[in-house]
Amino acid sequence: MKTICSNCETENEINSKYCSICGYKLPLIEDENVKTEIEQTKVTKPKRKFDLKTSLGFVVAFIVMFFVAQAIFKPSIDKQLANMASEMNKTCPMNIDENTTLKNVVALPNNTVQYNYILVGITKAEVKLDTVKKYVFPGVLQNVKTNPGMKYFRDNKITLNYYYSDKNGVFVTEYVVKPDMY
C-alpha cells in the first residue's frame, strides 16, 4: 500500500510522514490494515529465557578456569620452598648464637624444609642429647607455633626438619616439626 502526495501526486511509502519528492506533509492514514502492515515490518528481538543449565555451565567453567590458571601460573608449594631456600642460602653460613651456625637450608619433597645446623666447637661425644632435647626442642616448637615469620609455613602445612651436626660434620640429632604439632 502506498500514500499519494496531495501536492505533487508522488507515491510514497505508507509509513512516510513527508513526500520524498516535494517534502509536503502527507496525510495520516488510520486504516487498520496499514497499522497491521507497519507492525509486521518492525523488527522485534526474540525474548531470551533464563536458562539455568547455561548459567550453571558458565559458573562451572569459570571455577575450572580459575583453578587451572592457579595451577599454571602459581608455582607449587615445593617450588616456592625451593626458591625460599635458595634465597636464604645466599646469607649462609649464618651464626645463630655462640654455639650454633646455620649451614644451609634445603627444600625437600612433600612440603618439607630442612635447616642444617652445625654445633660450633662441639663434638658429638660432648653433646648430652637428653639435655639438648629437653631444652632445645620445646623452644624450636614454640618458635614454629608463635613466630609471625613462620606463618607461611603454618598456613601451608609445611614440615620443618632441624638437623644438627657437630663441628666435624657428624650427625648429632634431628627434630621434626610436623603440621599436626603446631
Side-chain angles (χ1 to χ4, degrees):
M1 193 178 236
K2 301 281 183 178
T3 302
I4 305 293
C5 176
S6 59
N7 187 43
C8 68
E9 298 185 3
T10 303
E11 282 190 5
N12 291 281
E13 293 296 321
I14 193 74
N15 57 352
S16 299
K17 291 183 180 182
Y18 298 97
C19 178
S20 60
I21 299 297
C22 69
Y24 189 79
K25 186 172 181 175
L26 299 173
L28 294 175
I29 299 175
E30 293 295 327
D31 185 16
E32 192 63 39
N33 293 335
V34 172
K35 286 183 180 179
T36 306
E37 187 178 323
I38 291 171
E39 287 174 3
Q40 289 175 351
T41 59
K42 289 183 180 177
V43 178
T44 58
K45 291 185 180 179
K47 292 184 180 179
R48 294 185 183 187
K49 293 182 180 179
F50 177 76
D51 187 0
L52 181 62
K53 289 179 183 178
T54 302
S55 299
L56 284 174
F58 281 120
V59 170
V60 169
F62 176 77
I63 291 170
V64 168
M65 290 305 295
F66 174 78
F67 286 109
V68 167
Q70 289 294 316
I72 292 172
F73 299 112
K74 184 179 178 188
S76 69
I77 295 293
D78 285 337
K79 184 160 178 80
Q80 290 177 18
L81 293 176
N83 291 338
M84 183 262 328
S86 177
E87 286 300 311
M88 287 189 71
N89 286 331
K90 291 177 182 177
T91 62
C92 288
M94 177 190 317
N95 292 332
I96 302 303
D97 58 34
E98 62 188 48
N99 297 316
T100 314
T101 298
L102 177 61
K103 179 180 174 185
N104 62 15
V105 180
V106 180
L108 301 174
N110 302 318
N111 297 351
T112 303
V113 172
Q114 181 166 303
Y115 295 94
N116 294 313
Y117 292 99
I118 298 172
L119 298 173
V120 180
I122 301 173
T123 63
K124 183 176 181 172
E126 298 171 318
V127 176
K128 295 181 182 177
L129 289 177
D130 292 339
T131 304
V132 171
K133 185 172 184 175
K134 182 178 177 181
Y135 294 106
V136 174
F137 185 69
V140 167
L141 185 57
Q142 186 64 25
N143 182 54
V144 173
K145 287 181 177 181
T146 61
N147 186 331
M150 302 299 274
K151 183 180 184 326
Y152 175 82
F153 298 118
R154 292 189 299 267
D155 290 349
N156 291 288
K157 300 185 182 330
I158 307 298
T159 298
L160 299 164
N161 294 347
Y162 295 85
Y163 185 94
Y164 293 87
S165 57
D166 70 4
K167 68 178 186 178
N168 299 320
V170 176
F171 171 77
V172 175
T173 190
E174 179 178 32
Y175 302 113
V176 178
V177 179
K178 294 185 178 189
D180 61 351
M181 298 170 79
Y182 55 80

